[in-house]
Amino acid sequence: MKLHFPTLATACSLVSIFLANPSSAADAKKKPDAKKNEKAAAGTGDAEMALKGFKPAPGVKLELFAAEPLVVNPVAFTIDDRGRFFVAESYRQSKGIEDNRGHAEWLLHDLAARTVEDRLAYIKKFAGDKIGKFTQFEDRVTLVEDKDGDGKADNSKVFAGGFNEILDGTGASVITRGNDVYYTCIPHVWLLRDPKGTGEASERIKLSSGYGVHFALRGHDMHGLRFGPDGKLYWSIGDRGFHVVTKEGKTLDNVDTGAVLRCDPDGSNLEIFATGLRNPQQLIFDKYGNLFTGDNNSDAGDKARWVYVVEGGDTGWRMAYQYRPDRGAFNRE
């Protein structure tokens, strides 16, 4: 079989599916459709139409790689060294993954929270007998493949599902290294393995836990998994904050700002790299080893920031600024 290694154009086309084909919450309750691979062509129409709305830079060609039902609600994806796509899919937006803008009743409790256990306590207090809402839907990692090598996906299956605990956030980043798949889903950083080669992760290891002390605003999750030039695993988290005890017993407490963290591939030597971010997204290293990220604006007339992330640096944001009309000292400066 000739392997097709996806290009930048292919990757761009997969992102376009997310824009074209959002899935309804009702669909998210359903178990994966065993026959969906037989219906792969059915979802391509809207996706092909969406491609026509893109204006690529000169020299860039966009091609459709995968559409519903092979991939649904993608948030992030990565490609392994065999040309397989691992796609983080989210089905829990507003259906367990909540937002302070829709829950004024718990805002003060959220601001006061210092650990994820504090957040769990007030969820139970305010949800009462509706607590089941928080576990009704799941996020998951889907394996999408081009088995015949023609440049288009023709098969998909759930690689790891069931991320629907009360405290779970959006599964917002995924990266592979060899046979290991790393996945971030508040409150955990996961290592997923498929030692039997079945296409389904039979091993799930929590590398670290304690992320997402606050609900804050939806989408302020863990993003940007990336291996740095030092061989360490890096990722970002928004201002939902974290209170984590490392494998070595050290407490990392950063509950009111976004940050960048790093650890060894096995989860050891976890440390905070930089703080003071609001909602950093992807991470990128330049050829000199300098680290950069895009940091979202706060919806107050301020602009999103392109940040040079300096080790030990603090770029000024605090979660509570979000609830001041002018966003506090962050914007006044």
Side-chain angles (χ1 to χ4, degrees), residues 77-305:
F77 67 90
T78 191
I79 311 167
D80 73 1
D81 53 12
R82 295 166 56 186
R84 302 181 302 169
F85 281 73
F86 290 84
V87 185
E89 297 183 340
S90 181
Y91 298 87
R92 302 181 67 240
Q93 304 304 313
S94 297
K95 302 293 182 181
I97 297 173
E98 303 297 317
D99 188 311
N100 284 343
R101 288 169 294 190
H103 292 277
E105 74 279 8
W106 71 35
L107 176 57
L108 293 181
H109 290 76
D110 193 60
L111 289 168
R114 301 291 94 183
T115 66
V116 294
E117 289 76 19
D118 291 341
R119 182 162 64 92
L120 179 60
Y122 77 71
I123 291 173
K124 291 180 176 179
K125 174 182 177 180
F126 287 99
D129 59 4
K130 296 181 180 179
I131 194 71
K133 167 186 177 179
F134 289 85
T135 59
Q136 190 174 7
F137 302 92
E138 68 170 19
D139 277 19
R140 62 193 184 210
V141 179
T142 297
L143 174 60
V144 181
E145 299 179 87
D146 169 20
K147 288 196 167 184
D148 61 12
D150 67 353
K152 295 184 183 296
D154 50 40
N155 187 73
S156 74
K157 66 188 303 184
V158 176
F159 180 74
F163 297 97
N164 65 334
E165 296 296 324
I166 294 175
L167 287 171
D168 283 356
T170 302
S173 189
V174 60
I175 194 172
T176 64
R177 189 184 196 191
N179 294 321
D180 292 338
V181 179
Y182 296 86
Y183 176 59
T184 60
C185 184
I186 281 175
H188 311 295
V189 176
W190 292 93
L191 172 57
L192 309 173
R193 286 175 171 159
D194 173 23
K196 298 178 181 179
T198 63
E200 299 179 8
S202 59
E203 295 182 7
R204 302 188 186 199
I205 303 167
K206 294 176 183 177
L207 294 185
S208 55
S209 301
Y211 304 94
V213 168
H214 308 289
F215 265 116
L217 301 188
R218 191 161 60 248
H220 291 211
D221 291 279
M222 289 192 284
H223 308 93
L225 283 168
R226 177 83 58 176
F227 280 99
D230 54 3
K232 290 181 177 290
L233 180 65
Y234 288 72
W235 67 94
S236 67
I237 184 171
D239 60 5
R240 298 186 65 178
F242 54 89
H243 181 90
V244 175
V245 177
T246 70
K247 288 186 173 183
E248 296 79 18
K250 181 181 178 180
T251 298
L252 302 182
D253 188 73
N254 184 75
V255 299
D256 291 322
T257 81
V260 173
L261 300 100
R262 67 181 176 188
C263 68
D264 290 341
D266 64 357
S268 63
N269 297 312
L270 175 65
E271 59 185 336
I272 300 172
F273 185 80
T275 61
L277 296 157
R278 178 177 179 272
N279 188 21
Q281 300 289 313
Q282 298 302 314
L283 302 177
I284 187 72
F285 287 93
D286 68 11
K287 64 180 180 180
Y288 303 108
N290 298 309
L291 180 61
F292 297 87
T293 190
D295 197 15
N296 282 352
N297 62 289
S298 67
D299 304 317
D302 56 322
K303 295 181 178 180
R305 306 183 294 168

Side-chain angles (χ1 to χ4, degrees), residues 44-93:
T44 62
D46 288 345
E48 293 282 9
M49 185 177 296
L51 284 180
K52 297 177 181 179
F54 282 72
K55 295 181 180 180
V60 175
K61 180 182 179 181
L62 300 182
E63 297 176 347
L64 178 64
F65 177 69
E68 288 187 357
L70 294 182
V71 60
V72 181
N73 292 348
V75 177
F77 67 90
T78 191
I79 311 167
D80 73 1
D81 53 12
R82 295 166 56 186
R84 302 181 302 169
F85 281 73
F86 290 84
V87 185
E89 297 183 340
S90 181
Y91 298 87
R92 302 181 67 240
Q93 304 304 313

